[in-house]
Amino acid sequence: MKTLVSLVRCPSYDPQALDRAVASAVELSGFPEVGGARVLVKPNMLNASEPDRAVTTHPELLRAFLRLLKTRGATRIIVGDSPGFQSQDAVGRKSGIKAAAEAEGASWADAGEGVEVPCPEGRRVKHFSFIKSFADADLLMSLPKLKTHRLMYFTGAMKNLFGLVPGLAKSAFHLRFPEPADFAAMLVDLVLAAKPAFSLMDGIVAMEGMGPNAGRPRQLGLIAASLDPVALDWTASELIGYDPALIPYLGEALGRGLWISSAEDIELRGESPESLRPRDFELVPGQGRTDFTSALMPRFAHRILRNLTVARPSFDHGACERCGACIRICPPKALSFAESAGGKKVVIDYDVCIRCYCCHEVCPVDAIHLVKRAF
């Protein structure tokens, strides 16, 4: 049986256009029964950014989806996420997501840590700790933003669920799984544990370039949906120009065969990808690069080689606001403040840095750039 993915044209966040597009996407892709159910809706709430920056799921798309859930008979709707370093309230206010949830009568999630979720099928992780509201819901639904991602190349329905891990606890996973392939395997385990029932992707205004925070908004005019998060991410990443098999977490998921086993398992409905495909969408460079040296070299030698050849964070001290977000989130504690002639500035120990790019991801003013070392 084919896995359905819908692609629906939607040129703006106009509420009426969104209601039509969301209803169409849901009908074309299939939708679980929500009558009498408690539903946790998980938008992308990366950081406190205005909606037009395309960092977070747009609040109007959230509102349209909440209206649909209410008409389908959901008894309780909970909205929330656990941002990496800022509070859920701060991100919710700046992004408009909290106001949107409240306007539609949804509850605001308890993002505190407290729910242990087993993952017996996991290859890297056998249990996770998720936000408290995960235990209060019968169904989990993902509302990702279509964006590029510096570490995983693409972020969509699957990567969005990493936000179920409370706050700075995410840093421990980056420290535990510093290599992209291992981090990708962990993400697949996490999706297995979370068991999302449905995913609706915001691609009306996507993000290209150095996402998921420092890229640029790009008008695509589409929403996509599926019961299967792997099929949805496969379709969306291919539409913007990636080879999905070379995206670490999609390659891992495909290899396990727990969702789709090949692209041939996907049946697209709605608009054709060709009619929506953007020209010259700026992707994260380096897709498909495999680090074969990790298995051939001693760990200390591999780390030295990686430090010399892999792009590393570089700080624009003129743009930096000294907020300390990068220091707080850094998994190996490679960042710190140091006094200088011009006042304190962030310094980095490149021998400790694991190239997870968490600092780049959370910087609110794009003061961190990723550059390769010049020889």
Side-chain angles (χ1 to χ4, degrees):
M1 185 175 179
K2 293 284 189 177
T3 297
L4 303 180
V5 175
S6 61
L7 293 171
V8 176
R9 193 180 301 275
C10 188
S12 75
Y13 292 106
D14 171 75
Q16 291 184 340
L18 278 168
D19 283 340
R20 291 191 297 269
V22 169
S24 178
V26 164
E27 291 301 324
L28 291 170
S29 61
F31 197 67
E33 175 59 49
V34 298
R38 300 168 298 172
V39 182
L40 173 59
V41 178
K42 199 281 180 199
N44 185 314
M45 294 176 61
L46 178 65
N47 63 30
S49 298
E50 295 86 355
D52 60 5
R53 283 198 59 218
V55 172
T56 58
T57 305
H58 199 281
E60 289 300 330
L61 179 66
L62 172 65
R63 290 193 66 174
F65 189 65
L66 297 181
R67 289 192 290 269
L68 181 136
L69 287 175
K70 289 187 290 185
T71 63
R72 297 285 180 117
T75 56
R76 185 185 180 200
I77 305 170
I78 309 165
V79 174
D81 188 8
S82 183
F85 74 100
Q86 295 168 309
S87 72
Q88 182 184 222
D89 279 353
V91 177
R93 286 192 298 270
K94 191 72 172 284
S95 65
I97 287 174
K98 186 174 185 181
E102 291 173 342
E104 298 300 334
S107 302
W108 197 231
D110 184 342
E113 184 174 358
V115 182
E116 292 297 317
V117 181
C119 186
E121 297 173 283
R123 289 188 176 176
R124 297 292 192 280
V125 182
K126 295 296 184 180
H127 65 88
F128 290 89
S129 181
F130 286 165
I131 60 174
K132 288 182 178 179
S133 284
F134 182 81
D136 298 330
D138 304 307
L139 298 171
L140 168 66
M141 299 195 177
S142 178
L143 257 64
K145 187 75 160 179
L146 195 165
K147 299 190 290 182
T148 51
H149 192 279
R150 185 60 184 85
L151 181 64
M152 291 287 104
Y153 302 113
F154 179 80
T155 177
M158 295 181 70
K159 180 66 173 62
N160 185 45
L161 298 181
F162 191 46
L164 293 171
V165 175
L168 291 173
K170 297 177 185 66
S171 295
F173 285 103
H174 284 284
L175 188 61
R176 185 176 169 187
F177 305 110
E179 298 295 336
D182 292 329
F183 191 82
M186 178 278 296
L187 279 179
V188 174
D189 291 346
L190 187 146
V191 177
L192 283 171
K195 298 180 174 61
F198 188 77
S199 302
L200 180 78
M201 183 178 289
D202 178 4
I204 297 172
V205 178
M207 178 177 282
E208 65 179 353
M210 299 300 280
N213 176 56
R216 293 181 302 280
R218 176 70 181 269
Q219 177 77 26
L220 292 185
L222 68 94
I223 60 175
S226 183
L227 296 169
D228 184 326
V230 178
L232 179 58
D233 284 357
W234 188 282
T235 300
S237 62
E238 186 174 46
L239 187 145
I240 61 172
Y242 280 122
D243 179 348
L246 297 180
I247 292 174
Y249 71 84
L250 288 178
E252 172 74 19
L254 194 73
R256 296 197 200 184
L258 298 172
W259 291 277
I260 57 172
S261 57
S262 76
E264 300 302 315
D265 294 340
I266 300 173
E267 179 182 332
L268 297 179
R269 291 186 173 180
E271 300 284 341
S272 69
E274 289 72 23
S275 70
L276 297 169
R277 197 180 309 280
R279 292 185 179 180
D280 302 320
F281 194 94
E282 185 182 349
L283 305 175
V284 172
Q287 191 203 21
R289 184 180 297 137
T290 302
D291 188 358
F292 295 108
T293 62
S294 62
L296 302 175
M297 300 175 67
R299 183 178 294 273
F300 77 91
H302 174 254
R303 172 166 288 191
I304 292 171
L305 179 63
R306 190 167 184 263
N307 283 344
L308 291 173
T309 58
V310 178
R312 60 185 188 171
S314 176
F315 288 77
D316 179 346
H317 297 294
C320 177
E321 294 183 339
R322 281 72 170 170
C323 67
C326 57
I327 295 173
R328 293 195 300 275
I329 203 169
C330 179
K333 307 304 179 187
L335 302 176
S336 61
F337 280 125
E339 294 298 328
S340 68
K344 71 177 183 179
K345 67 177 183 179
V346 178
V347 294
I348 181 168
D349 183 342
Y350 288 111
D351 290 332
V352 176
C353 174
I354 61 173
R355 310 303 196 264
C356 65
Y357 308 131
C358 288
C359 56
H360 176 263
E361 185 170 317
V362 302
C363 181
V365 292
D366 194 18
I368 302 174
H369 308 291
L370 303 178
V371 298
K372 284 193 174 182
R373 187 172 179 175
F375 293 96

